Amino acid sequence: MLNDSQQRAEQQAELFLAVCDDVGFIPVFSHCSAVEYWGVQTPADCLLDKTKPHIVFPDSGSRRRSRQTITHVWKAELQPRPHYTGRFHVVSPQTAWAQIAQHCSEESLAVTAGSFMCRDRRRKVTTLDYIERYVHDNPQFPGRRKCLNILPYLAENTDSPPESVVVVLVMRANIGKPVTNHRIDFENGEFNFIDIAYPEIKFGIEYQGYYHADPAQMKADARRLNRLRLRGWEIVLVTADDLRDETSRKRIIAVIRALMERQRQLMRMGTILA
């Protein structure tokens, strides 16, 4: 994922530099162009035109149009950052996130925010605090209502877009706010992370991407799950099929609810190992 992120950013930088040579002013890149520059793929359902780079101006009076770009006026904070010795500027990740809000679904907003705030420090470009602050400090911008709706469901330090989807899914089902990438330490100095965890009842949810089908990975996963179960953890595995449509999502939520309740009962009985 790191290579994909770096490649996406480098491609945008090349495109931005080409625009700089033509427009005759220092542009501020924004919206989905900024999302891509910060290493995150634009949501598939985003309705913005992706055939040209997007640039932004703080007001109509300063707006300068060009055939090479799509221009916007954005009256909320831009938080522009200079790049390539100031040849161009890019709005902050939280600004770019807010700018695409009116053009995509709330779930896509959660995925984009999760990618910006991922656990990998090399790819992490903002935090939940910065995103929340931006929305609350800027009371008027298109799509703000959608941002406010999804803020309670955003999760920091996830490892993949599907994990962000699962967090939104369980929270909207009123299952409770989980801990993402919860660390479990073992006596031999080894440790494991649980994608989505409810530590108080030793319950976890793991997203199984396609790479888990690799034989070596399957063996590692089996060893890992067995170690966690020996510690008293109940783990539910979620796949892409479980997130495919509303019916499959309801089905996996029913499984999660049932196993969580069983785990709670075991905890009350005092049968979970320390």
Side-chain angles (χ1 to χ4, degrees):
M1 292 185 73
L2 176 62
N3 290 338
D4 290 342
S5 179
Q6 289 176 334
Q7 185 177 28
R8 186 171 290 112
E10 289 168 2
Q11 288 173 343
Q12 287 301 109
E14 290 178 9
L15 183 62
F16 293 176
L17 289 169
V19 169
C20 291
D21 293 336
D22 293 332
V23 296
F25 59 89
I26 298 175
V28 179
F29 291 96
S30 64
H31 293 74
C32 54
S33 297
V35 169
E36 297 272 339
Y37 184 80
W38 292 116
V40 175
Q41 186 174 10
T42 302
D45 65 355
C46 182
L47 299 177
L48 286 166
D49 185 345
K50 306 174 191 68
T51 61
K52 294 180 181 180
H54 292 250
I55 61 175
V56 69
F57 299 88
D59 53 64
S60 300
S62 61
R63 187 174 191 171
R64 298 172 67 178
R65 300 181 186 274
S66 72
R67 288 180 295 179
Q68 300 96 328
T69 64
I70 298 168
T71 63
H72 304 267
V73 171
W74 186 258
K75 295 183 179 180
E77 290 180 273
L78 292 176
Q79 301 178 342
R81 302 180 186 181
H83 293 267
Y84 286 79
T85 62
R87 290 186 65 190
F88 62 80
H89 291 68
V90 183
V91 300
S92 70
Q94 51 272 15
T95 304
W97 180 78
Q99 288 174 334
I100 67 170
Q102 70 175 130
H103 306 287
C104 64
S105 66
E106 291 179 6
E107 184 173 286
S108 290
L109 277 180
V111 168
T112 301
S115 297
F116 279 158
M117 305 183 296
C118 66
R119 183 164 63 100
D120 187 338
R121 293 295 181 263
R122 297 166 296 178
R123 294 187 293 117
K124 186 171 186 173
V125 293
T126 193
T127 66
L128 183 57
D129 180 59
Y130 280 127
I131 289 176
E132 289 177 335
R133 229 186 300 171
Y134 187 90
V135 176
H136 291 304
D137 289 351
N138 292 276
Q140 292 183 332
F141 62 83
R144 184 173 184 266
R145 173 50 53 190
K146 204 180 290 184
C147 292
L148 287 169
N149 288 344
I150 201 63
L151 272 182
Y153 306 105
L154 298 185
E156 198 166 354
N157 297 323
T158 56
D159 281 333
S160 68
E163 286 181 29
S164 297
V165 173
V166 175
V167 171
V168 173
L169 184 65
V170 296
M171 289 186 66
R172 282 186 160 166
N174 295 316
I175 287 176
K177 189 176 181 74
V179 177
T180 53
N181 280 296
H182 179 65
R183 176 167 166 157
I184 304 293
D185 291 291
F186 295 93
E187 291 77 8
N188 60 1
E190 294 182 357
F191 59 88
N192 286 145
F193 288 100
I194 299 175
D195 292 345
I196 298 164
Y198 295 84
E200 67 280 3
I201 59 169
K202 292 190 172 183
F203 185 85
I205 304 169
E206 293 274 299
Y207 181 77
Q208 296 291 96
Y210 293 116
Y211 78 94
H212 288 277
D214 176 77
Q217 186 62 46
M218 289 176 66
K219 291 178 182 177
D221 287 343
R223 177 174 177 270
R224 177 169 169 275
L225 288 175
N226 286 339
R227 289 206 304 184
L228 291 171
R229 284 168 176 152
L230 277 173
R231 281 290 194 91
W233 280 80
E234 176 66 76
I235 305 294
V236 173
L237 302 180
V238 177
T239 69
D241 281 348
D242 296 316
L243 305 177
R244 185 178 62 251
D245 53 38
E246 194 61 29
T247 300
S248 58
R249 291 182 180 210
K250 287 180 179 179
R251 189 180 303 121
I252 194 63
I253 283 295
V255 171
I256 291 169
R257 284 188 189 281
L259 293 182
M260 282 186 82
E261 182 54 32
R262 187 177 73 177
Q263 188 73 350
R264 286 193 183 94
Q265 292 176 6
L266 290 172
M267 292 288 288
R268 285 195 289 267
M269 292 167 59
T271 59
I272 299 296
L273 298 177

